[in-house]
Amino acid sequence: MHSVWKTSILFTIVTTVLLGLGYPLFVTAIAGLIFPHKAGGSLIQLKDGTYIGSELIAQSFTSDKYFHPRPSAAGNGYDATASGGSNLAQSSKALVDRIQGSIDKLSAENPGHPVPIDLVTMSASGLDPDITPDDAFFQAPRVAKARGLSEDSVRQLIQQHTTARQLGLLGEPRVNVLDLNLALDKLGK
């Protein structure tokens, strides 16, 4: 009986070290060698070496000169340490009022155009870095006006930064907000 306990304890220690420490460290090391950008968090670095964000986590852009991401309920907004949705039911008056307020604001910004649903609803994580091309095209007139650009040039920029479905069938076309806003800044206006 004594050897059964000894074997069980030894097996638990060995598997814990191998599978709880060794395997994760090995996989992390391999990922860092093969995919260093992705393993490092897909951080975006400016030419001066400053890190300004990640391709994977939305940031708050409030200026009319920038495209805005989807609304967020993560912490104080786009807080990666408090990822999550609002968990409000469709019947919640607070949710209905928030969405209607967003629709009213966006309708005034771009009269006569239907507001894309993604611009007024939150993603499950609250950190979605991408918007749909429809969301971006809806915001194009505001951004073009604020930057003194033609709407056509802003639309072309959106098209250049639209990522197609993976393998032609997985997911939906999307636009990374941070990448698009950086491209706008490169225009110098």
Side-chain angles (χ1 to χ4, degrees):
M1 188 77 154
H2 178 63
S3 69
V4 171
W5 280 103
K6 185 177 178 182
T7 302
S8 298
I9 291 170
L10 187 58
F11 180 77
T12 301
I13 291 170
V14 169
T15 56
T16 299
V17 170
L18 282 176
L19 301 176
L21 296 173
Y23 179 73
L25 290 173
F26 173 74
V27 169
T28 301
I30 295 298
L33 289 172
I34 297 173
F35 307 108
H37 177 70
K38 289 184 179 188
S42 299
L43 298 177
I44 296 177
Q45 187 176 18
L46 297 176
K47 289 181 182 178
D48 68 359
T50 306
Y51 289 100
I52 59 163
S54 170
E55 297 170 358
L56 306 174
I57 299 175
Q59 296 182 25
S60 179
F61 289 96
T62 55
S63 169
D64 284 347
K65 295 176 122 182
Y66 291 106
F67 286 89
H68 301 165
R70 293 177 68 179
S72 176
N76 292 325
Y78 313 103
D79 179 1
T81 62
S83 174
S86 67
N87 293 328
L88 296 174
Q90 290 179 350
S91 59
S92 167
K93 181 166 175 25
L95 178 64
V96 171
D97 290 347
R98 187 197 57 75
I99 289 175
Q100 189 59 55
S102 294
I103 290 172
D104 293 345
K105 180 180 178 232
L106 290 167
S107 292
E109 175 184 302
N110 198 349
H113 293 86
V115 176
I117 190 70
D118 297 21
L119 282 180
V120 296
T121 57
M122 298 174 189
S123 66
S125 69
L127 302 174
D128 192 353
D130 302 318
I131 57 176
T132 65
D134 286 345
D135 294 354
F137 288 128
F138 180 86
Q139 296 182 62
R142 171 183 45 83
V143 173
K145 181 179 177 186
R147 288 187 175 260
L149 297 169
S150 73
E151 195 173 321
D152 284 340
S153 65
V154 173
R155 289 180 174 280
Q156 287 174 354
L157 199 62
I158 293 167
Q159 288 173 335
Q160 292 169 5
H161 285 82
T162 298
T163 304
R165 294 179 166 150
Q166 294 172 333
L167 303 174
L169 56 106
L170 299 174
E172 294 294 325
R174 62 200 175 281
V175 179
N176 186 284
V177 176
L178 181 56
D179 285 339
L180 182 58
N181 286 336
L182 286 173
L184 278 168
D185 283 347
K186 285 180 184 175
L187 293 177
K189 290 193 175 198

